[in-house]
Amino acid sequence: VDIHVRLEGRDDLSGQVYRQVREAIVDGRLRPGQSLPPTREFARSLEVSRNTVSIAYERLTGEGFLRTRVGAGTYVCEHRYTTAAGRPRRRRPEQGLQPHTRWDMAHPRWDAVGRRLPPPALTYDFAVGLPDLSLFPFDTWRRMVSRELRTTSIESAAYGDAAGHPGLRTAIARHIGAARGVITDPDLVTVTNGAQQAFDLAARALLQPGDCVAVEEPGYPPPRMLMRSLGMRVVPVRVDAQGLVVAELPGDARLVYVTPAHQFPLGMPMSLARRRELLAWAAEHDAAVIEDDYDSEFRFAGRSPETLYSLDGHGRVLYVSTFSKTMLPAIRLGYLVAPPSVTPALRLAKYVADWTSPLISQAALARFIDEGLFARHIRKMRGEYSSRHELIMTILAQQEDWVRPIKTAAGIHLTALLPAGRQLSDQDVRRLTDDTGVTVNSLWQFYDGKPAQSGLVIGYGAIAVPHIAEGLKRLRYVLEGA
Ligand SMILES: Cc1ncc(COP(=O)(O)O)c(C=O)c1O
Protein backbone atom coordinates (compact mmCIF):
# COMPACT_ATOMS: atom_id res chain seq x y z
CA VAL A 1 0.00 0.00 0.00
CA ASP A 2 0.99 3.61 -0.39
CA ILE A 3 1.69 5.49 2.83
CA HIS A 4 1.60 9.23 3.08
CA VAL A 5 4.49 10.57 5.16
CA ARG A 6 5.02 14.27 5.70
CA LEU A 7 8.67 15.18 6.22
CA GLU A 8 9.59 18.47 7.83
CA GLY A 9 13.11 19.90 7.55
CA ARG A 10 16.10 17.59 7.14
CA ASP A 11 16.54 16.51 10.78
CA ASP A 12 15.87 13.01 12.04
CA LEU A 13 14.24 11.87 8.82
CA SER A 14 14.32 8.22 9.91
CA GLY A 15 12.58 9.16 13.14
CA GLN A 16 9.89 11.03 11.22
CA VAL A 17 9.25 8.03 8.93
CA TYR A 18 9.27 5.66 11.93
CA ARG A 19 6.77 7.71 13.94
CA GLN A 20 4.35 8.24 11.10
CA VAL A 21 4.29 4.61 9.96
CA ARG A 22 3.89 3.50 13.58
CA GLU A 23 0.99 5.92 14.03
CA ALA A 24 -0.67 4.63 10.85
CA ILE A 25 -0.42 1.07 12.21
CA VAL A 26 -1.69 1.96 15.67
CA ASP A 27 -4.65 4.04 14.49
CA GLY A 28 -5.82 1.38 12.03
CA ARG A 29 -4.99 2.99 8.68
CA LEU A 30 -2.56 0.13 8.10
CA ARG A 31 -3.89 -3.32 8.93
CA PRO A 32 -2.02 -6.46 9.95
CA GLY A 33 -1.03 -8.38 6.82
CA GLN A 34 -0.72 -5.33 4.58
CA SER A 35 2.61 -4.98 2.87
CA LEU A 36 4.73 -1.83 2.93
CA PRO A 37 6.55 -0.44 -0.08
CA PRO A 38 10.08 -1.79 -0.59
CA THR A 39 12.68 0.48 0.98
CA ARG A 40 14.14 1.58 -2.35
CA GLU A 41 10.76 2.58 -3.79
CA PHE A 42 9.61 4.29 -0.57
CA ALA A 43 12.89 6.20 -0.31
CA ARG A 44 12.56 7.39 -3.90
CA SER A 45 9.02 8.65 -3.37
CA LEU A 46 10.08 10.51 -0.20
CA GLU A 47 13.25 11.84 -1.83
CA VAL A 48 15.41 10.51 1.01
CA SER A 49 18.21 7.97 1.09
CA ARG A 50 17.34 4.29 1.18
CA ASN A 51 19.17 4.05 4.49
CA THR A 52 16.71 6.49 6.08
CA VAL A 53 13.80 4.19 5.32
CA SER A 54 15.73 1.04 6.23
CA ILE A 55 16.52 2.42 9.71
CA ALA A 56 12.83 3.23 10.28
CA TYR A 57 11.75 -0.24 9.10
CA GLU A 58 14.35 -1.93 11.30
CA ARG A 59 13.14 -0.05 14.34
CA LEU A 60 9.52 -0.99 13.63
CA THR A 61 10.56 -4.59 13.06
CA GLY A 62 12.44 -4.61 16.35
CA GLU A 63 9.33 -3.39 18.15
CA GLY A 64 7.20 -6.09 16.56
CA PHE A 65 5.17 -3.89 14.23
CA LEU A 66 6.71 -5.15 11.00
CA ARG A 67 8.13 -8.39 9.69
CA THR A 68 10.22 -8.99 6.62
CA ARG A 69 10.05 -12.25 4.75
CA VAL A 70 12.26 -13.05 1.80
CA GLY A 71 10.18 -12.88 -1.33
CA ALA A 72 7.12 -11.44 0.47
CA GLY A 73 8.59 -8.07 1.43
CA THR A 74 7.82 -6.13 4.58
CA TYR A 75 4.40 -6.31 6.10
CA VAL A 76 2.45 -5.24 9.20
CA CYS A 77 2.17 -7.75 12.05
CA GLU A 78 -0.52 -8.43 14.60
CA HIS A 79 0.46 -6.41 17.64
CA ARG A 80 -1.18 -5.52 20.89
CA TYR A 81 -1.46 -1.96 19.60
CA THR A 82 -3.11 -2.82 16.28
CA THR A 83 -6.88 -2.61 15.91
CA ALA A 84 -8.34 -5.97 15.11
CA ALA A 85 -11.07 -4.61 12.87
CA GLY A 86 -8.63 -2.44 10.97
CA ARG A 87 -11.05 0.40 11.32
CA PRO A 88 -9.34 3.79 11.35
CA ARG A 89 -10.02 5.53 14.62
CA ARG A 90 -11.67 8.87 14.54
CA ARG A 91 -9.62 11.79 15.69
CA ARG A 92 -10.97 14.02 18.40
CA PRO A 93 -13.44 16.57 17.02
CA GLU A 94 -11.74 19.82 16.30
CA GLN A 95 -13.02 23.32 16.40
CA GLY A 96 -13.47 24.47 12.86
CA LEU A 97 -16.18 24.58 10.30
CA GLN A 98 -19.65 24.50 11.68
CA PRO A 99 -22.58 23.49 9.47
CA HIS A 100 -24.96 26.23 8.54
CA THR A 101 -28.14 24.33 7.89
CA ARG A 102 -31.37 26.06 7.19
CA TRP A 103 -33.33 23.43 9.04
CA ASP A 104 -33.27 22.09 12.51
CA MET A 105 -31.11 18.97 12.42
CA ALA A 106 -32.06 18.08 15.97
CA HIS A 107 -35.77 17.83 15.21
CA PRO A 108 -36.86 14.68 17.10
CA ARG A 109 -39.19 13.48 14.37
CA TRP A 110 -36.30 13.20 11.91
CA ASP A 111 -34.56 10.80 14.16
CA ALA A 112 -35.61 7.74 12.22
CA VAL A 113 -35.37 9.26 8.76
CA GLY A 114 -32.52 8.19 6.54
CA ARG A 115 -31.06 5.69 9.00
CA ARG A 116 -32.02 2.26 7.74
CA LEU A 117 -28.51 0.93 7.55
CA PRO A 118 -28.38 -2.03 7.83
CA PRO A 119 -32.06 -3.03 7.83
CA PRO A 120 -32.81 -4.63 11.18
CA ALA A 121 -33.32 -8.36 10.84
CA LEU A 122 -36.48 -8.43 12.90
CA THR A 123 -39.14 -11.07 12.77
CA TYR A 124 -41.97 -8.60 13.11
CA ASP A 125 -40.78 -5.73 10.95
CA PHE A 126 -43.65 -3.39 10.09
CA ALA A 127 -41.25 -0.58 9.18
CA VAL A 128 -42.54 1.65 6.43
CA GLY A 129 -40.98 2.00 3.00
CA LEU A 130 -39.08 -1.28 2.66
CA PRO A 131 -39.88 -3.79 -0.08
CA ASP A 132 -39.23 -7.48 0.55
CA LEU A 133 -35.53 -7.77 -0.13
CA SER A 134 -35.57 -11.55 0.32
CA LEU A 135 -37.80 -12.06 -2.74
CA PHE A 136 -35.66 -10.04 -5.11
CA PRO A 137 -34.22 -12.11 -8.02
CA PHE A 138 -30.59 -11.49 -7.13
CA ASP A 139 -29.24 -14.17 -9.47
CA THR A 140 -30.96 -12.69 -12.49
CA TRP A 141 -29.92 -9.19 -11.51
CA ARG A 142 -26.32 -10.31 -11.10
CA ARG A 143 -26.43 -11.72 -14.65
CA MET A 144 -27.75 -8.41 -15.99
CA VAL A 145 -25.06 -6.42 -14.23
CA SER A 146 -22.23 -8.74 -15.20
CA ARG A 147 -23.22 -8.49 -18.86
CA GLU A 148 -22.64 -4.75 -18.58
CA LEU A 149 -19.18 -5.39 -17.19
CA ARG A 150 -17.92 -7.03 -20.38
CA THR A 151 -15.67 -5.14 -22.72
CA THR A 152 -18.40 -5.27 -25.36
CA SER A 153 -20.49 -3.04 -23.08
CA ILE A 154 -17.86 -0.35 -23.11
CA GLU A 155 -20.41 2.45 -23.32
CA SER A 156 -21.70 1.84 -19.82
CA ALA A 157 -18.17 2.29 -18.50
CA ALA A 158 -17.81 5.88 -19.69
CA TYR A 159 -19.52 9.17 -18.87
CA GLY A 160 -23.06 9.25 -20.14
CA ASP A 161 -25.87 11.57 -21.06
CA ALA A 162 -27.18 13.62 -18.11
CA ALA A 163 -30.69 12.61 -19.18
CA GLY A 164 -29.86 8.97 -18.47
CA HIS A 165 -29.16 5.80 -20.43
CA PRO A 166 -31.21 6.02 -23.67
CA GLY A 167 -32.32 2.39 -23.45
CA LEU A 168 -33.53 2.87 -19.88
CA ARG A 169 -35.41 6.06 -20.75
CA THR A 170 -37.19 4.20 -23.54
CA ALA A 171 -37.96 1.27 -21.23
CA ILE A 172 -39.33 3.66 -18.57
CA ALA A 173 -41.48 5.51 -21.10
CA ARG A 174 -42.93 2.20 -22.26
CA HIS A 175 -43.51 0.96 -18.71
CA ILE A 176 -45.29 4.07 -17.41
CA GLY A 177 -47.20 4.42 -20.67
CA ALA A 178 -48.60 0.92 -20.33
CA ALA A 179 -48.90 0.58 -16.55
CA ARG A 180 -49.77 4.12 -15.49
CA GLY A 181 -51.20 5.74 -18.62
CA VAL A 182 -48.42 8.31 -18.51
CA ILE A 183 -47.93 8.73 -22.25
CA THR A 184 -44.60 10.36 -22.87
CA ASP A 185 -41.59 10.53 -25.10
CA PRO A 186 -38.29 9.05 -23.79
CA ASP A 187 -36.77 12.48 -24.48
CA LEU A 188 -38.85 13.90 -21.62
CA VAL A 189 -37.68 11.25 -19.14
CA THR A 190 -34.71 12.06 -16.89
CA VAL A 191 -33.15 9.24 -14.86
CA THR A 192 -32.29 10.25 -11.29
CA ASN A 193 -30.72 8.78 -8.17
CA GLY A 194 -34.02 7.82 -6.62
CA ALA A 195 -37.13 9.95 -6.34
CA GLN A 196 -35.35 12.18 -3.85
CA GLN A 197 -32.96 13.49 -6.47
CA ALA A 198 -35.88 14.21 -8.79
CA PHE A 199 -37.26 16.58 -6.12
CA ASP A 200 -33.88 18.23 -5.85
CA LEU A 201 -33.60 18.74 -9.61
CA ALA A 202 -37.13 20.16 -9.71
CA ALA A 203 -36.18 22.72 -7.06
CA ARG A 204 -32.98 23.68 -8.86
CA ALA A 205 -34.80 24.08 -12.16
CA LEU A 206 -37.95 25.83 -10.94
CA LEU A 207 -37.38 27.66 -7.66
CA GLN A 208 -35.44 30.47 -6.04
CA PRO A 209 -34.45 30.43 -2.34
CA GLY A 210 -37.29 31.92 -0.35
CA ASP A 211 -39.98 30.51 -2.64
CA CYS A 212 -42.98 28.86 -1.07
CA VAL A 213 -43.35 25.08 -1.40
CA ALA A 214 -46.56 23.41 -0.23
CA VAL A 215 -46.39 19.84 1.06
CA GLU A 216 -48.94 17.40 2.43
CA GLU A 217 -49.59 17.27 6.19
CA PRO A 218 -49.00 14.57 7.27
CA GLY A 219 -46.52 13.74 4.55
CA TYR A 220 -43.26 12.22 3.43
CA PRO A 221 -40.49 14.07 5.34
CA PRO A 222 -37.48 13.95 2.95
CA PRO A 223 -38.85 16.38 0.32
CA ARG A 224 -39.71 19.01 2.91
CA MET A 225 -36.32 18.60 4.58
CA LEU A 226 -34.69 18.97 1.17
CA MET A 227 -36.67 22.09 0.28
CA ARG A 228 -35.82 23.71 3.62
CA SER A 229 -32.15 22.89 3.13
CA LEU A 230 -32.32 24.77 -0.17
CA GLY A 231 -33.76 27.83 1.54
CA MET A 232 -37.38 27.36 0.47
CA ARG A 233 -40.31 28.29 2.67
CA VAL A 234 -42.16 25.04 3.30
CA VAL A 235 -45.85 25.22 4.19
CA PRO A 236 -47.60 22.01 5.27
CA VAL A 237 -51.19 21.80 3.98
CA ARG A 238 -53.79 19.51 5.54
CA VAL A 239 -55.05 16.40 3.77
CA ASP A 240 -58.59 15.09 4.24
CA ALA A 241 -60.31 11.95 2.96
CA GLN A 242 -60.01 13.22 -0.63
CA GLY A 243 -56.35 14.18 -0.39
CA LEU A 244 -54.67 17.57 -0.23
CA VAL A 245 -57.10 20.35 0.70
CA VAL A 246 -56.51 22.59 -2.31
CA ALA A 247 -58.61 25.41 -0.86
CA GLU A 248 -56.01 25.79 1.91
CA LEU A 249 -52.98 26.16 -0.38
CA PRO A 250 -51.02 29.35 0.22
CA GLY A 251 -51.60 31.69 -2.74
CA ASP A 252 -47.88 32.20 -3.30
CA ALA A 253 -46.90 28.50 -3.49
CA ARG A 254 -44.59 28.00 -6.48
CA LEU A 255 -44.50 24.23 -6.10
CA VAL A 256 -46.94 21.73 -4.62
CA TYR A 257 -45.69 18.25 -3.66
CA VAL A 258 -48.33 15.51 -3.56
CA THR A 259 -48.67 11.69 -3.49
CA PRO A 260 -52.04 11.29 -5.28
CA ALA A 261 -52.05 7.55 -5.98
CA HIS A 262 -51.47 6.51 -2.39
CA GLN A 263 -51.19 9.40 0.01
CA PHE A 264 -48.08 9.07 2.12
CA PRO A 265 -48.58 7.99 4.87
CA LEU A 266 -52.40 7.82 5.20
CA GLY A 267 -52.91 5.70 2.09
CA MET A 268 -56.09 6.98 0.44
CA PRO A 269 -55.98 8.14 -3.20
CA MET A 270 -56.66 11.75 -4.14
CA SER A 271 -60.19 12.00 -5.53
CA LEU A 272 -60.69 12.90 -9.17
CA ALA A 273 -62.46 16.13 -8.18
CA ARG A 274 -59.51 17.12 -6.01
CA ARG A 275 -57.07 16.28 -8.79
CA ARG A 276 -58.91 18.57 -11.18
CA GLU A 277 -59.11 21.28 -8.54
CA LEU A 278 -55.35 21.07 -7.92
CA LEU A 279 -54.53 21.27 -11.62
CA ALA A 280 -56.83 24.26 -12.08
CA TRP A 281 -55.25 25.91 -9.04
CA ALA A 282 -51.73 25.33 -10.41
CA ALA A 283 -52.66 26.78 -13.81
CA GLU A 284 -54.27 29.81 -12.20
CA HIS A 285 -51.35 30.44 -9.83
CA ASP A 286 -48.58 29.63 -12.31
CA ALA A 287 -47.32 26.92 -9.96
CA ALA A 288 -45.71 23.52 -10.55
CA VAL A 289 -46.96 20.23 -9.15
CA ILE A 290 -44.75 17.26 -8.25
CA GLU A 291 -46.72 14.03 -8.52
CA ASP A 292 -44.82 11.40 -6.49
CA ASP A 293 -46.09 8.04 -7.76
CA TYR A 294 -43.72 6.06 -5.55
CA ASP A 295 -45.47 2.70 -5.06
CA SER A 296 -48.53 2.62 -7.29
CA GLU A 297 -47.35 -0.44 -9.24
CA PHE A 298 -48.70 -2.40 -6.30
CA ARG A 299 -52.41 -1.86 -6.73
CA PHE A 300 -54.59 -4.66 -5.41
CA ALA A 301 -58.11 -3.65 -6.27
CA GLY A 302 -60.10 -1.30 -8.43
CA ARG A 303 -59.06 0.94 -11.25
CA SER A 304 -56.15 3.29 -10.61
CA PRO A 305 -57.17 6.91 -10.77
CA GLU A 306 -55.78 8.87 -13.74
CA THR A 307 -52.44 10.44 -12.91
CA LEU A 308 -52.21 14.20 -12.53
CA TYR A 309 -49.67 14.09 -15.35
CA SER A 310 -52.19 12.66 -17.80
CA LEU A 311 -55.04 14.91 -16.64
CA ASP A 312 -52.90 18.03 -16.90
CA GLY A 313 -53.67 20.21 -19.90
CA HIS A 314 -51.39 23.09 -18.94
CA GLY A 315 -47.91 21.54 -18.64
CA ARG A 316 -47.74 22.00 -14.86
CA VAL A 317 -46.97 18.50 -13.62
CA LEU A 318 -43.65 16.78 -12.98
CA TYR A 319 -44.27 13.06 -12.68
CA VAL A 320 -41.78 11.30 -10.38
CA SER A 321 -41.34 7.64 -9.57
CA THR A 322 -38.72 5.29 -8.22
CA PHE A 323 -37.30 1.78 -8.49
CA SER A 324 -36.78 1.71 -4.71
CA LYS A 325 -40.04 -0.18 -4.12
CA THR A 326 -40.34 -2.22 -7.32
CA MET A 327 -36.66 -3.26 -7.30
CA LEU A 328 -34.40 -2.40 -4.35
CA PRO A 329 -33.85 0.83 -2.40
CA ALA A 330 -30.11 0.24 -2.80
CA ILE A 331 -30.36 0.50 -6.57
CA ARG A 332 -30.91 4.26 -6.09
CA LEU A 333 -32.61 4.83 -9.41
CA GLY A 334 -35.72 6.86 -10.04
CA TYR A 335 -37.04 9.10 -12.78
CA LEU A 336 -38.77 12.28 -13.62
CA VAL A 337 -41.04 13.11 -16.53
CA ALA A 338 -41.41 16.82 -17.08
CA PRO A 339 -43.05 19.18 -19.55
CA PRO A 340 -40.76 20.04 -22.50
CA SER A 341 -40.46 23.63 -21.26
CA VAL A 342 -38.49 22.61 -18.15
CA THR A 343 -36.69 19.49 -19.37
CA PRO A 344 -33.49 21.29 -20.51
CA ALA A 345 -33.18 23.03 -17.12
CA LEU A 346 -33.67 19.71 -15.33
CA ARG A 347 -30.95 18.12 -17.45
CA LEU A 348 -28.59 20.94 -16.60
CA ALA A 349 -29.47 20.54 -12.91
CA LYS A 350 -28.68 16.82 -13.17
CA TYR A 351 -25.41 17.58 -14.90
CA VAL A 352 -24.23 19.99 -12.21
CA ALA A 353 -25.44 17.71 -9.43
CA ASP A 354 -23.60 14.54 -10.47
CA TRP A 355 -23.49 14.39 -14.30
CA THR A 356 -25.37 11.13 -14.59
CA SER A 357 -26.65 8.21 -12.53
CA PRO A 358 -24.47 5.06 -12.51
CA LEU A 359 -24.56 3.76 -16.07
CA ILE A 360 -23.84 0.13 -15.36
CA SER A 361 -26.97 -0.20 -13.24
CA GLN A 362 -29.00 1.85 -15.72
CA ALA A 363 -28.02 -0.40 -18.62
CA ALA A 364 -28.69 -3.53 -16.56
CA LEU A 365 -32.08 -2.21 -15.52
CA ALA A 366 -32.98 -1.36 -19.13
CA ARG A 367 -32.29 -4.97 -20.07
CA PHE A 368 -34.19 -6.26 -17.02
CA ILE A 369 -37.26 -4.28 -18.11
CA ASP A 370 -36.92 -5.10 -21.82
CA GLU A 371 -36.72 -8.82 -21.18
CA GLY A 372 -39.99 -8.75 -19.24
CA LEU A 373 -38.33 -9.57 -15.92
CA PHE A 374 -39.39 -6.32 -14.28
CA ALA A 375 -43.05 -6.94 -15.13
CA ARG A 376 -42.76 -10.49 -13.84
CA HIS A 377 -41.19 -9.36 -10.57
CA ILE A 378 -43.89 -6.73 -10.07
CA ARG A 379 -46.61 -9.31 -10.70
CA LYS A 380 -45.09 -11.67 -8.16
CA MET A 381 -44.63 -8.96 -5.54
CA ARG A 382 -48.11 -7.56 -6.11
CA GLY A 383 -49.54 -10.98 -5.29
CA GLU A 384 -47.41 -11.22 -2.18
CA TYR A 385 -48.11 -7.70 -0.92
CA SER A 386 -51.79 -8.13 -1.69
CA SER A 387 -51.98 -11.18 0.62
CA ARG A 388 -50.17 -9.31 3.40
CA HIS A 389 -52.39 -6.25 2.96
CA GLU A 390 -55.54 -8.35 3.04
CA LEU A 391 -54.48 -10.24 6.14
CA ILE A 392 -53.60 -7.07 8.06
CA MET A 393 -56.88 -5.40 7.04
CA THR A 394 -58.86 -8.50 8.04
CA ILE A 395 -57.21 -8.73 11.45
CA LEU A 396 -57.47 -5.02 12.18
CA ALA A 397 -61.08 -4.85 10.98
CA GLN A 398 -61.97 -7.16 13.88
CA GLN A 399 -60.24 -4.88 16.37
CA GLU A 400 -61.94 -1.58 15.77
CA ASP A 401 -62.09 -0.94 19.50
CA TRP A 402 -58.34 -0.49 19.32
CA VAL A 403 -57.41 0.88 15.89
CA ARG A 404 -59.22 2.01 12.76
CA PRO A 405 -57.34 1.15 9.56
CA ILE A 406 -57.73 3.59 6.67
CA LYS A 407 -58.92 1.74 3.56
CA THR A 408 -56.25 1.50 0.89
CA ALA A 409 -55.90 -0.46 -2.30
CA ALA A 410 -52.23 -0.02 -3.13
CA GLY A 411 -48.67 0.17 -1.89
CA ILE A 412 -46.63 -1.50 0.82
CA HIS A 413 -47.96 0.22 3.93
CA LEU A 414 -51.22 1.28 5.52
CA THR A 415 -52.16 3.54 8.39
CA ALA A 416 -54.34 2.62 11.34
CA LEU A 417 -55.70 5.48 13.44
CA LEU A 418 -55.94 5.34 17.20
CA PRO A 419 -58.98 6.67 19.04
CA ALA A 420 -59.20 10.46 19.30
CA GLY A 421 -57.38 11.76 22.33
CA ARG A 422 -54.86 8.91 22.42
CA GLN A 423 -51.32 10.30 22.32
CA LEU A 424 -48.64 8.12 20.77
CA SER A 425 -45.34 9.70 19.89
CA ASP A 426 -42.45 8.07 18.05
CA GLN A 427 -40.56 7.78 21.33
CA ASP A 428 -43.57 6.08 22.94
CA VAL A 429 -43.72 3.53 20.13
CA ARG A 430 -40.02 2.83 20.32
CA ARG A 431 -40.03 2.54 24.10
CA LEU A 432 -43.02 0.20 24.11
CA THR A 433 -41.90 -2.06 21.30
CA ASP A 434 -38.33 -2.32 22.52
CA ASP A 435 -37.50 -6.00 23.21
CA THR A 436 -40.65 -7.30 21.51
CA GLY A 437 -39.06 -7.98 18.11
CA VAL A 438 -41.60 -5.59 16.58
CA THR A 439 -40.82 -2.45 14.57
CA VAL A 440 -43.52 -0.03 13.55
CA ASN A 441 -43.76 3.70 12.86
CA SER A 442 -45.87 6.23 14.69
CA LEU A 443 -47.99 8.50 12.51
CA TRP A 444 -46.60 11.45 14.46
CA GLN A 445 -43.29 11.06 12.71
CA PHE A 446 -44.81 12.27 9.46
CA TYR A 447 -46.29 15.52 10.73
CA ASP A 448 -44.36 18.70 10.23
CA GLY A 449 -46.43 20.65 12.73
CA LYS A 450 -48.47 19.56 15.72
CA PRO A 451 -49.87 16.08 15.02
CA ALA A 452 -53.63 16.19 14.44
CA GLN A 453 -54.16 12.48 15.10
CA SER A 454 -52.36 9.47 16.48
CA GLY A 455 -51.88 6.23 14.65
CA LEU A 456 -49.55 3.54 13.44
CA VAL A 457 -48.05 3.41 9.98
CA ILE A 458 -47.79 -0.29 9.27
CA GLY A 459 -45.43 -1.37 6.51
CA TYR A 460 -45.76 -4.90 5.13
CA GLY A 461 -42.91 -4.94 2.65
CA ALA A 462 -40.56 -6.60 5.10
CA ILE A 463 -42.87 -8.99 6.98
CA ALA A 464 -43.94 -12.33 5.56
CA VAL A 465 -47.52 -13.59 5.90
CA PRO A 466 -46.74 -16.24 8.58
CA HIS A 467 -45.46 -13.55 10.97
CA ILE A 468 -48.21 -10.98 10.55
CA ALA A 469 -50.81 -12.26 13.02
CA GLU A 470 -48.29 -12.73 15.82
CA GLY A 471 -46.68 -9.35 15.05
CA LEU A 472 -50.02 -7.55 15.30
CA LYS A 473 -50.89 -9.46 18.47
CA ARG A 474 -47.66 -8.36 20.12
CA LEU A 475 -48.20 -4.83 18.92
CA ARG A 476 -51.65 -4.69 20.43
CA TYR A 477 -50.45 -6.23 23.64
CA VAL A 478 -47.68 -3.69 24.23
CA LEU A 479 -49.63 -0.66 23.07
CA GLU A 480 -52.87 -1.55 24.81
CA GLY A 481 -51.03 -2.41 27.98
CA ALA A 482 -49.54 1.09 27.97
C1 LIG B 1 -43.58 8.99 -0.56
C2 LIG B 1 -42.29 8.42 -1.03
N1 LIG B 1 -41.72 8.91 -2.12
C3 LIG B 1 -40.56 8.42 -2.60
C4 LIG B 1 -39.92 7.39 -1.96
C5 LIG B 1 -38.68 6.78 -2.55
O1 LIG B 1 -37.64 7.58 -2.53
P1 LIG B 1 -36.26 7.17 -3.23
O2 LIG B 1 -36.55 6.84 -4.65
O3 LIG B 1 -35.46 8.41 -3.08
O4 LIG B 1 -35.74 5.97 -2.51
C6 LIG B 1 -40.46 6.88 -0.79
C7 LIG B 1 -39.73 5.82 -0.05
O5 LIG B 1 -39.96 5.52 1.08
C8 LIG B 1 -41.67 7.39 -0.32
O6 LIG B 1 -42.23 6.89 0.77
Side-chain angles (χ1 to χ4, degrees):
V1 292
D2 291 334
I3 312 163
H4 178 77
V5 167
R6 198 179 66 196
L7 297 177
E8 279 174 11
R10 302 303 295 171
D11 291 339
D12 189 22
L13 294 175
S14 273
Q16 294 190 45
V17 174
Y18 158 79
R19 281 188 293 277
Q20 291 182 47
V21 173
R22 185 181 191 278
E23 191 175 295
I25 294 171
V26 171
D27 73 15
R29 280 174 286 149
L30 288 175
R31 295 192 317 174
Q34 280 187 309
S35 61
L36 264 62
T39 47
R40 189 193 304 271
E41 194 183 293
F42 200 7
R44 201 180 312 125
S45 72
L46 294 175
E47 297 178 348
V48 296
S49 76
R50 189 177 173 191
N51 203 32
T52 300
V53 174
S54 300
I55 292 170
Y57 275 21
E58 277 162 25
R59 206 168 152 192
L60 289 161
T61 306
E63 291 176 7
F65 286 104
L66 299 182
R67 185 170 303 158
T68 304
R69 237 187 313 140
V70 183
T74 304
Y75 58 93
V76 180
C77 300
E78 295 283 354
H79 191 284
R80 67 195 163 96
Y81 289 133
T82 54
T83 43
R87 200 183 132 151
R89 279 181 216 140
R90 214 184 299 159
R91 285 173 184 263
R92 262 182 295 130
E94 288 167 22
Q95 292 301 317
L97 284 178
Q98 293 300 315
H100 174 71
T101 48
R102 296 171 211 250
W103 78 97
D104 175 11
M105 288 176 76
H107 196 300
R109 271 184 231 129
W110 294 346
D111 208 28
V113 175
R115 294 207 197 137
R116 295 263 341 177
L117 257 182
L122 292 162
T123 315
Y124 309 107
D125 191 353
F126 293 110
V128 65
L130 267 190
D132 196 324
L133 310 177
S134 70
L135 296 178
F136 184 73
F138 282 103
D139 288 341
T140 313
W141 180 243
R142 196 160 39 244
R143 254 194 298 119
M144 300 286 139
V145 173
S146 58
R147 256 201 250 181
E148 297 309 319
L149 292 172
R150 292 185 189 152
T151 43
T152 46
S153 304
I154 199 116
E155 275 152 32
S156 42
Y159 288 105
D161 186 342
H165 183 279
L168 180 57
R169 284 190 282 129
T170 305
I172 289 170
R174 237 186 282 118
H175 165 66
I176 55 179
R180 302 292 296 132
V182 173
I183 315 284
T184 187
D185 191 294
D187 286 344
L188 298 180
V189 177
T190 301
V191 179
T192 58
N193 294 335
Q196 186 68 9
Q197 190 182 41
F199 312 143
D200 184 50
L201 302 186
R204 289 174 196 246
L206 292 166
L207 303 176
Q208 299 281 343
D211 278 353
C212 176
V213 175
V215 297
E216 296 170 322
E217 175 80 327
Y220 181 52
R224 63 185 188 234
M225 292 166 74
L226 167 76
M227 295 297 168
R228 287 203 173 110
S229 78
L230 296 172
M232 308 305 163
R233 197 158 40 83
V234 173
V235 178
V237 174
R238 193 166 62 89
V239 297
D240 64 14
Q242 292 195 62
L244 184 89
V245 181
V246 175
E248 294 180 11
L249 279 170
D252 62 346
R254 310 286 314 129
L255 177 72
V256 184
Y257 166 84
V258 283
T259 47
H262 183 229
Q263 203 275 332
F264 188 96
L266 298 179
M268 68 288 169
M270 186 185 276
S271 71
L272 186 60
R274 212 41 91 63
R275 285 171 198 245
R276 293 200 196 284
E277 192 186 345
L278 175 58
L279 291 172
W281 188 95
E284 192 186 324
H285 291 78
D286 191 25
V289 175
I290 289 181
E291 174 173 34
D292 180 1
D293 204 30
Y294 63 108
D295 67 0
S296 56
E297 277 92 351
F298 305 122
R299 166 157 285 277
F300 316 128
R303 219 156 39 91
S304 10
E306 288 296 313
T307 58
L308 288 171
Y309 184 87
S310 39
L311 291 169
D312 175 27
H314 296 93
R316 298 268 138 210
V317 178
L318 279 71
Y319 176 87
V320 172
S321 195
T322 178
F323 291 102
S324 290
K325 316 291 156 182
T326 46
M327 296 284 286
L328 296 173
I331 215 171
R332 297 309 306 139
L333 288 174
Y335 50 92
L336 171 64
V337 183
S341 53
V342 289
T343 297
L346 289 165
R347 299 279 163 78
L348 195 56
K350 174 68 181 167
Y351 175 72
V352 299
D354 60 6
W355 195 322
T356 184
S357 295
L359 275 167
I360 292 168
S361 337
Q362 289 193 64
L365 183 54
R367 200 185 288 272
F368 192 80
I369 299 175
D370 287 345
E371 294 188 7
L373 302 163
F374 182 60
R376 189 190 303 167
H377 182 56
I378 289 177
R379 212 174 317 117
K380 176 173 107 179
M381 297 314 294
R382 189 186 295 130
E384 182 61 40
Y385 295 145
S386 171
S387 313
R388 298 177 189 185
H389 173 263
E390 195 182 324
L391 180 58
I392 295 173
M393 288 303 273
T394 308
I395 294 174
L396 294 185
Q398 295 157 1
Q399 309 188 352
E400 291 219 331
D401 53 319
W402 174 51
V403 284
R404 197 165 43 79
I406 297 176
K407 277 215 169 64
T408 57
I412 52 175
H413 74 268
L414 57 89
T415 289
L417 299 175
L418 291 165
R422 173 81 199 262
Q423 306 277 312
L424 192 70
S425 70
D426 318 322
Q427 289 88 340
D428 292 337
V429 170
R430 246 173 290 146
R431 181 174 46 80
L432 291 167
T433 53
D434 229 14
D435 303 328
T436 57
V438 180
T439 298
V440 73
N441 295 84
S442 155
L443 177 58
W444 278 28
Q445 189 180 323
F446 303 103
Y447 279 95
D448 192 48
K450 190 172 174 303
Q453 48 196 348
S454 293
L456 297 170
V457 183
I458 302 175
Y460 43 85
I463 185 160
V465 164
H467 298 303
I468 286 177
E470 175 65 21
L472 291 177
K473 198 166 120 196
R474 286 179 184 223
L475 201 53
R476 178 172 188 165
Y477 181 78
V478 290
L479 297 181
E480 282 286 80

